[in-house]
Amino acid sequence: MSGGNGAFFEAMLVRVAKQDVRLGMYVHAIEGSWMDHPFWRSRFLLSEQSQLERVFASKVEYLVIDAARGLDPSQLAPVLDERTAKSERQPLSARERITELRRAASTIKRSKVAVMGLFEDARLGKAVQTASMGPIVEEISQSVSRDPSIILNIAKLKTKDEYTYLHSVAVCALMINLGRSMGLDEGLTQEIGMAGLLHDVGKMAIPETILKKPARLDELEMETVRNHPQRGYEILSASAGVNETALDVCLHHHEKMDGTGYPQRLPGKALSLFARMSSVCDVYDAVTSQRPYNTPWSASHALQLMQGWEGHFDPEVVDAFIESLGILPVGTLIRVNDDRLAIVTGESSSDFTLPRARIFYSPDRMYDEPLLDIEVSRNKGGWSVLGIEDPAKWGFPDWKRTSRAIITRKSN
Ligand SMILES: [Fe+2]
């Protein structure tokens, strides 16, 4: 992303039709009467999905974008093309999946070695060579574009010694997948992937005795750990060629929307979109990682809980993240292919992007007994999801309570 030299930008103004406006662009002016546009300011960075939606819904036809302060419209592929490509992506055949499994495993191995090398330099107090990580981000990005679930599934398994490195690789993959799903252009997607790869470099400034301590940390040790975003920011600032996004994400990935995060206790409105994205990707990988002596949360359970943590994440980013993974959180009301209603209870053991669900309701017979537990599959003739349903429309006013009651009931 251009810009970042702080004090002075020479404006590069481009007139852009409303439908071509994207997150990350800097609005310089909005054409037409101020009464027709939904913002009281006319110069600002489009950093939130809700702002973009307000633009789309407004009477405004054209906006003037400053390409020097944000995304350059001339370098973008059309949004629709990317979204169509995503929705039309065919699932891999069994043979292609095996090939991709091998490719993704070797990508992860190579990435881990590269991250270890770079982090080792940081540990020794050397400037880090981030340019060498470009091809690694590219390779991860390609694997994500072929099938994100494969590389993400492999990156879940982490031994204690390799945790920090593989966590970096996983956050890189998650950021790329989320960015692409949100319609960010490829250049910016690679940039946030790089930011994901580097976000925890400050952990190298923490003594290993603390980093790998199997017991609970005392207050002083916690303080040292909480210092890692600041230390990482210093390491990256002292290194050549590190972009603003990586610095931002490194410093702010532990901030929270309600201002109770660290190190700066910034409120949500002071956090960039990329920082808000990184905090979701970071926590999701941490809680779903499979480590020795640590039972991970399933993806669908993690997403359900993360949705409920008020004040921690940006809810719009959480929704976008859920959509990017294509995983239904536990508790989601769905309609399955025999037209009955079911509640998501977890994920398939063979493919974490497919849900397990409990059928409990037929539109004609109301509550359906006995409860039937099913696993959605890709096989022809197997269970599939027809759609996500709105509980209020089906007469479930307190869905949280109803869903909890159904999930905890024993099935026959
Ligand atoms: Fe961190």
Side-chain angles (χ1 to χ4, degrees), residues 23 70 72 74 107 133 139 142 189 214 259 293 310 337 343 348 355 373 375 404 407:
L23 282 181
D72 182 349
S74 65
T107 294
M133 304 307 273
E139 202 179 325
Q142 283 176 12
T189 303
Y293 317 112
E310 212 126 310
N337 49 333
I343 181 166
S348 148
D373 288 326
E375 255 192 36
R404 213 177 306 127
I407 288 175

Side-chain angles (χ1 to χ4, degrees), residues 110 112 129 143 147 179 200 204 234 265 279 315 325 328 334 343 374:
R110 256 193 301 281
K112 187 181 86 178
Q129 304 295 324
S143 182
D147 188 333
D200 256 351
M204 294 302 106
E234 287 158 10
R265 298 177 71 90
S279 112
L325 290 178
L328 298 173
I334 56 174
I343 181 166
I374 60 164

Side-chain angles (χ1 to χ4, degrees), residues 199-200 203 228 253-254 282:
H199 79 285
D200 256 351
K203 288 249 177 100
H228 80 272
H253 67 277
H254 286 290
D282 179 48

Side-chain angles (χ1 to χ4, degrees), residues 93-158:
S93 67
R95 178 182 270 185
E96 286 168 337
R97 274 186 81 78
I98 290 170
T99 308
E100 185 51 32
L101 267 169
R102 286 205 194 100
R103 284 168 93 175
S106 79
T107 294
I108 291 212
K109 216 166 155 186
R110 256 193 301 281
S111 310
K112 187 181 86 178
V113 171
V115 174
M116 281 172 81
L118 185 133
F119 278 31
E120 190 53 32
D121 284 347
R123 191 197 299 282
L124 299 172
K126 297 185 197 168
V128 294
Q129 304 295 324
T130 57
S132 62
M133 304 307 273
I136 295 291
V137 174
E138 175 64 34
E139 202 179 325
I140 295 170
S141 162
Q142 283 176 12
S143 182
V144 168
S145 69
R146 289 189 293 267
D147 188 333
S149 69
I150 294 180
I151 188 162
L152 289 173
N153 226 359
I154 303 174
K156 269 186 184 180
L157 307 166
K158 302 171 176 74

Side-chain angles (χ1 to χ4, degrees), residues 26-54:
Y26 188 89
V27 178
H28 178 82
I30 297 174
E31 288 191 5
S33 153
W34 68 269
M35 285 174 69
D36 290 340
H37 75 69
F39 302 99
W40 64 273
R41 283 176 305 161
S42 61
R43 290 188 187 181
F44 57 96
L45 180 70
L46 268 169
S47 60
E48 294 179 18
Q49 187 66 27
S50 59
Q51 294 173 315
L52 199 59
E53 280 161 13
R54 266 187 282 158

